[in-house]
């Protein structure tokens, strides 16, 4: 079996000429999705996908059910519907996408994405304009989405989305492994008691058992089926530590720093410790969403106000809700976005990103177009001219903002693309490697 490496995958994202030593790492798999208006014909690479309501056009935009596209894109995508605020949430790998139907806004984690036509719930489904998928797809490192990814055939009334999926393996990997080795040991034996078991770290697991595999989710859109389940917290030996009924609980998940989040039906949600003790509860009158804890704090967001702040493990507001976007803390700092005042000649206010510490004080002024989490003392940033590089915790440019694209570091190396289109390999000082 080939081993996947993040360095190789990141290299492929540079979408330019790739040097010979990097090309061996990359496999590009093109995909085409088609949606024929007025029918239930939705395909991925020519293969029909499950769809039982027709695709339609609204205000000039092709409207496609959210679940249909996400499941075709990633079969293990998890969808949750929050009926009280008309919010659909999709978890794919390390990303959470939030679709605010009433406000017609889409977030990736806490970053606002571009939206065009109006989303709506119709025929028991959440429909999203196909045009919005370009911004959504660009969130994922595993996909290359070109500017002309979306196309429309007026004669057949068919919309198409084209993208390239990236997979990678190290050049030293072999297709097979010979010889014998120690047999695998599973912490929890596979039984029919659970339908799914997920590790949440620290020798803990969350398991669920479906109790209803048809119909809607207690009044939510019908596309959120198969979500009525009993939930369990297990230790490494499979012992049940906590158990919750589907009648009261929508979802149980790990929430970082040794905490759990319990999403309850039609009531306030709860943050628990691993013993099941309630740390705090919150509902729609408090803040609409709380992110996972990192370094003792969690990003919280009010969807109505569109502002972010931070709460501690008791649910107390410790950094005010004043940011346009906010990310998790890493190495003592967090990237946040603030709105600049509207200037003459500018159509609207613009957002700039900087960094705060755990007291909420600005450590690095908000002057960047984009900013990412610190890792090993460095953070990737992009200036207003779309030049990318790395800064340290003082804001000093360690790797000058001169590249058009750059990957995260892995084993002390990263790929960067010059403005000429050349892709080079650099070390953590910015030095070009052979």
């Amino acid at each position: 079996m080939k081993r996947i490496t993040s360095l190789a995958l990141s290299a492929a994202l540079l979408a330019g000429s790739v040097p010979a030593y990097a090309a061996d790492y990359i496999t590009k798999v093109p995909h085409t999705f088609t949606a024929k208006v007025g029918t239930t014909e939705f395909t991925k690479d020519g293969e029909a996908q499950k769809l039982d309501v027709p695709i339609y056009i609204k205000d000039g935009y092709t409207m496609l059910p959210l679940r249909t596209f996400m499941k075709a894109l990633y079969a293990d995508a998890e969808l949750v519907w929050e009926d009280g605020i008309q919010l659909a949430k999709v978890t794919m790998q390390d990303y959470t996408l939030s679709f605010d139907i009433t406000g017609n806004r889409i977030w990736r984690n806490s970053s606002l994405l571009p939206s065009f036509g109006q989303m709506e719930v119709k025929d028991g489904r959440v429909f999203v304009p196909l045009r919005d998928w370009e911004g959504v797809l660009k969130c994922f490192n595993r996909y290359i989405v070109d500017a002309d990814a979306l196309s429309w055939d007026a004669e057949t009334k068919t919309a198409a989305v084209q993208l390239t999926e990236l997979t990678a393996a190290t050049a030293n990997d072999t297709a097979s492994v010979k010889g014998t080795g120690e047999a695998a040991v599973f912490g929890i034996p596979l039984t029919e008691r659970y339908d799914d078991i997920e590790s949440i770290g620290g020798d803990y697991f969350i398991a669920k058992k479906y109790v209803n595999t048809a119909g809607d989710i207690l009044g939510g859109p019908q596309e959120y089926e198969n979500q009525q389940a009993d939930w369990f917290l297990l230790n490494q030996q499979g012992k049940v530590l906590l158990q919750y009924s589907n009648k009261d609980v929508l979802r149980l998940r790990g929430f970082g720093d040794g905490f759990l989040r319990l999403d309850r039906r039609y009531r306030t949600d709860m943050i628990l410790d691993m013993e099941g003790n309630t740390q705090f509860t919150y509902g729609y009158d408090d803040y609409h969403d709380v992110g996972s804890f990192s370094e003792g704090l969690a990003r919280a967001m009010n969807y109505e106000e569109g502002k972010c702040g931070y709460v501690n493990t008791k649910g107390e507001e410790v950094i005010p809700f004043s940011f346009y976007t906010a990310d998790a803390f890493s190495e003592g700092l967090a990237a946040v976005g603030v709105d600049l005042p509207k200037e003459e000649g500018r159509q609207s206010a613009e957002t700039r990103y900087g960094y705060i510490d755990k007291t909420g004080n600005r450590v690095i002024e908000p002057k960047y177009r984009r900013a990412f989490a610190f890792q090993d003392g460095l953070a990737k940033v992009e200036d207003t001219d779309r030049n990318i590089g790395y800064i340290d915790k003082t804001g000093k440019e360690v790797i000058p903002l001169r590249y058009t694209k750059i990957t995260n570091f892995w084993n002390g190396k990263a790929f960067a693309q010059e403005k000429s289109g050349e892709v080079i390999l650099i070390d953590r000082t910015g030095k070009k490697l052979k």
Side-chain angles (χ1 to χ4, degrees):
M1 178 181 296
K2 290 182 177 291
R3 185 173 64 253
I4 302 300
T5 66
S6 58
L7 173 62
L9 182 58
S10 298
L13 301 181
L14 296 179
S17 58
V18 181
Y21 52 77
D24 292 339
Y25 291 79
I26 304 164
T27 300
K28 298 182 179 181
V29 182
H31 294 294
T32 300
F33 301 84
T34 63
K36 189 171 183 179
V37 172
T39 74
T40 58
E41 296 179 20
F42 178 69
T43 70
K44 176 182 180 181
D45 301 333
E47 182 177 345
Q49 304 296 300
K50 182 180 180 181
L51 179 60
D52 56 5
V53 293
I55 302 161
Y56 62 96
I57 291 180
K58 178 184 178 182
D59 300 329
Y61 294 101
T62 300
M63 305 294 289
L64 187 69
L66 174 63
R67 180 182 179 86
T68 298
F69 193 91
M70 300 309 290
K71 284 293 188 178
L73 193 66
Y74 185 65
D76 293 329
E78 294 186 5
L79 290 86
V80 174
W81 174 253
E82 298 188 14
D83 190 63
I85 54 174
Q86 294 284 291
L87 184 76
K89 302 185 75 172
V90 183
T91 301
M92 294 177 61
Q93 299 169 310
D94 295 330
Y95 296 92
T96 296
L97 299 170
S98 301
F99 297 81
D100 174 12
I101 309 305
T102 303
N104 202 47
R105 295 172 293 186
I106 304 173
W107 280 276
R108 185 216 55 161
N109 294 339
S110 62
S111 297
L112 194 64
L113 301 179
S115 58
F116 300 89
Q118 177 68 50
M119 296 181 286
E120 65 178 358
V121 178
K122 180 180 178 181
D123 298 330
R125 301 289 187 273
V126 173
F127 280 87
V128 177
L130 196 61
R131 179 69 177 83
D132 292 351
W133 289 111
E134 182 176 355
V136 171
L137 291 170
K138 287 181 178 179
C139 291
F140 300 103
N141 288 342
R142 62 187 294 181
Y143 302 120
I144 294 176
V145 184
D146 294 327
D148 57 352
L150 304 181
S151 61
W152 169 253
D153 187 328
E155 183 176 350
T156 62
K157 295 184 177 180
T158 301
V161 180
Q162 293 183 318
L163 56 86
T164 301
E165 183 177 8
L166 305 171
T167 60
T170 63
N172 294 328
D173 281 344
T174 58
S176 62
V177 178
K178 297 181 179 180
T180 60
E182 184 177 351
V185 177
F186 294 92
I188 301 178
L190 299 177
T191 70
E192 294 184 357
R193 182 175 183 182
Y194 308 112
D195 290 309
D196 186 48
I197 300 175
E198 176 187 4
S199 171
I200 59 171
D203 295 333
Y204 291 100
F205 299 82
I206 288 179
K208 60 182 175 181
K209 178 65 177 180
Y210 293 123
V211 298
N212 185 4
T213 58
D216 62 20
I217 182 173
L218 298 182
Q222 294 175 14
E223 63 185 332
Y224 296 86
E225 60 188 18
N226 295 346
Q227 291 295 317
Q228 297 183 38
D230 292 331
W231 295 85
F232 308 84
L233 177 69
L234 313 176
N235 64 14
Q236 194 174 25
Q237 289 71 43
K239 179 182 178 180
V240 176
L241 305 178
L242 300 172
Q243 179 175 346
Y244 299 96
S245 169
N246 71 94
K247 296 179 181 179
D248 301 315
V249 173
L250 178 65
R251 187 182 183 191
L252 177 68
R253 62 183 118 167
F255 225 54
D257 286 0
F259 293 97
L260 302 167
R261 172 171 162 175
L262 193 69
D263 295 348
R264 302 192 296 175
R265 298 187 188 276
Y266 309 122
R267 287 176 286 178
T268 54
D269 296 330
M270 305 171 64
I271 304 300
L272 314 174
D273 62 20
M274 289 299 183
E275 285 73 45
N277 300 311
T278 301
Q279 304 303 295
F280 65 92
T281 63
Y282 67 94
Y284 302 135
D285 294 334
D286 301 316
Y287 15 80
H288 290 164
D289 191 28
V290 176
S292 298
F293 282 96
S294 177
E295 301 184 1
L297 296 178
R299 182 271 305 162
M301 185 174 194
N302 185 309
Y303 285 110
E304 290 181 356
E305 299 295 330
K307 296 294 184 180
C308 297
Y310 292 86
V311 298
N312 62 19
T313 57
K314 297 298 181 182
E316 300 165 335
E317 180 182 316
V318 293
I319 299 178
F321 286 66
S322 60
F323 305 107
Y324 185 67
T325 66
D327 291 334
F329 274 90
S330 175
E331 300 183 5
L333 301 179
V336 296
V338 299
D339 286 338
L340 298 182
K342 182 178 179 180
E343 296 180 355
E344 183 177 355
R346 184 189 294 166
Q347 293 295 322
S348 61
E350 293 185 2
T351 304
R352 292 291 179 264
Y353 295 85
Y355 294 85
I356 61 172
D357 61 21
K358 291 183 179 181
T359 67
N361 292 326
R362 290 183 181 179
V363 176
I364 299 174
E365 289 299 310
K367 61 180 180 179
Y368 300 105
R369 183 175 178 271
R370 291 194 301 167
F372 300 85
F374 273 91
Q375 297 180 356
D376 297 327
L378 298 180
K380 180 167 58 176
V381 294
E382 178 181 317
D383 66 19
T384 55
D385 294 324
R386 299 177 185 265
N387 300 308
I388 302 175
Y390 276 86
I391 60 173
D392 64 18
K393 292 185 178 181
T394 69
K396 177 184 176 182
E397 292 184 14
V398 176
I399 297 177
L401 277 62
R402 50 172 286 190
Y403 300 105
T404 58
K405 295 182 181 180
I406 195 168
T407 69
N408 293 333
F409 279 93
W410 189 79
N411 280 356
K413 303 179 182 66
F415 286 95
Q417 185 178 49
E418 300 273 16
K419 291 185 177 180
S420 64
E422 179 187 5
V423 176
I424 63 173
L425 189 66
I426 59 175
D427 63 18
R428 292 177 58 84
T429 67
K431 179 182 177 182
K432 181 179 178 180
L433 302 176
K434 295 181 179 180

